[in-house]
């Protein structure tokens, strides 16, 4: 057991049931020419969290704890892409359309892959998810159970969309969730701040927040 000096109050970590979930650190969100940029966003904002996210991943690897990565992407035949999702966004560069990094948000295309700086190592699980939340239409829930996890630290992008959705889904399923505040980012700084405050309000109604340094200290690395 270890104490994490989190907000809104410290949480006791069970290192035998703790894992890291890194959400959607894909080229399509973080690099020019991808899905995020196609929606008019400044991807440089997201790139800023790469060093902290790398330190967080390194901390879990050094502590011998599981790291799970997700990728938001769809099958090449678009059979898992509801029209309600495809028909929104930039009409001239929709999900599945060809872009500078291959077809936008399509599994197997260069843009849908995880950025090289945070690439999974052998043995780490990668979950491809068609939704914003990682539980929808994936094996994520089964993977968490198989690994015996009960507490999850979250990192990745974007804070108020895929990260927060997955944290809420996990919280409802009984997991204790902690958001690493310097290893998550939004294209909208005000949305990131609001998500952080929503998560930890009302006595950690969705979960806790802590910095990468605080998590690493609790891990003893
Ligand atoms: C979005 C995500 N923002 N990974 N996806 O569309 O947050």
């Amino acid at each position: 057991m270890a104490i994490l000096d989190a907000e809104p109050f410290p949480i006791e970590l069970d290192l035998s049931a703790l894992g890291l979930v890194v959400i959607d650190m894909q080229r399509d969100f973080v690099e020019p020419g991808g899905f995020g940029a196609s929606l008019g966003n400044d991807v440089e904002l997201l790139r800023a969290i790469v060093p902290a996210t790398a330190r967080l991943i390194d901390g879990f690897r050094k502590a011998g704890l599981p790291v799970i990565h997700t990728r938001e992407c769809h099958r090449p035949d678009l059979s898992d892409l509801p029209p309600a999702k495809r028909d929104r966004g930039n009409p001239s560069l929709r999900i599945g359309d060809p872009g500078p990094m291959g077809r936008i948000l399509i599994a197997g295309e260069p843009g849908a892959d995880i950025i090289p700086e945070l690439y999974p190592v052998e043995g780490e699980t990668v979950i491809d998810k068609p939704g914003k939340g990682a539980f929808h239409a994936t094996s994520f829930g089964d993977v968490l159970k198989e690994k015996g996890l009960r507490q999850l630290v979250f990192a990745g992008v974007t804070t108020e969309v895929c990260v927060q959705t997955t944290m809420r889904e996990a919280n409802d399923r009984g997991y204790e969730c902690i958001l690493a505040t310097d290893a998550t980012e939004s294209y909208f700084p005000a949305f990131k701040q609001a998500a952080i405050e929503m998560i930890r309000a009302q006595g950690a109604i969705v979960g806790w927040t802590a910095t990468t340094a605080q998590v690493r200290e609790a891990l003893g690395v």
Side-chain angles (χ1 to χ4, degrees):
M1 292 288 183
I3 300 293
L4 173 62
D5 190 14
E7 288 189 60
F9 52 86
I11 173 173
E12 200 171 343
L13 297 183
D14 176 358
L15 300 186
S16 69
L18 179 72
L20 173 63
V21 183
V22 184
I23 301 279
D24 300 357
M25 288 303 291
Q26 298 160 251
R27 298 182 64 197
D28 258 326
F29 291 106
V30 176
E31 293 186 10
F35 180 63
S38 81
L39 299 176
N41 297 305
D42 175 7
V43 295
E44 283 309 313
L45 271 173
L46 269 51
R47 282 211 67 81
I49 63 157
V50 172
T53 310
R55 277 199 302 283
L56 192 60
I57 292 173
D58 171 73
F60 275 76
R61 287 177 183 156
K62 282 206 170 96
L65 299 179
V67 179
I68 299 169
H69 306 257
T70 69
R71 299 186 289 206
E72 180 179 350
C73 58
H74 296 272
R75 295 187 196 125
D77 65 2
L78 307 184
S79 57
D80 59 355
L81 175 61
K85 183 173 181 184
R86 185 160 198 227
D87 293 345
R88 272 176 283 163
N90 178 350
S92 57
L93 199 57
R94 296 184 305 168
I95 296 173
D97 289 346
M101 292 188 286
R103 294 177 67 199
I104 299 281
L105 280 195
I106 297 299
E109 299 287 341
D113 210 355
I114 293 169
I115 59 171
E117 299 93 317
L118 305 179
Y119 213 74
V121 296
E122 204 180 325
E124 290 178 353
T125 305
V126 179
I127 302 284
D128 283 349
K129 62 182 185 59
K132 301 303 181 192
F135 287 86
H136 168 66
T138 73
S139 59
F140 185 57
D142 294 334
V143 168
L144 298 181
K145 282 190 195 129
E146 279 159 22
K147 292 183 181 298
L149 301 180
R150 206 176 46 76
Q151 296 179 319
L152 303 172
V153 173
F154 282 89
V157 298
T158 60
T159 316
E160 79 284 7
V161 185
C162 291
V163 176
Q164 185 176 207
T165 301
T166 305
M167 280 188 78
R168 288 177 179 275
E169 288 178 330
N171 185 51
D172 283 348
R173 287 165 172 78
Y175 294 93
E176 289 180 321
C177 300
I178 301 132
L179 177 62
T181 51
D182 53 348
T184 184
E185 194 49 85
S186 169
Y187 299 118
F188 306 91
F191 290 178
K192 171 181 175 175
Q193 195 51 39
I196 286 172
E197 284 168 25
M198 278 179 223
I199 283 163
R200 66 189 179 203
Q202 305 176 80
I205 198 155
V206 176
W208 288 257
T209 66
T211 63
T212 293
Q214 287 168 327
V215 173
R216 284 183 63 111
E217 192 180 338
L219 296 181
V221 296

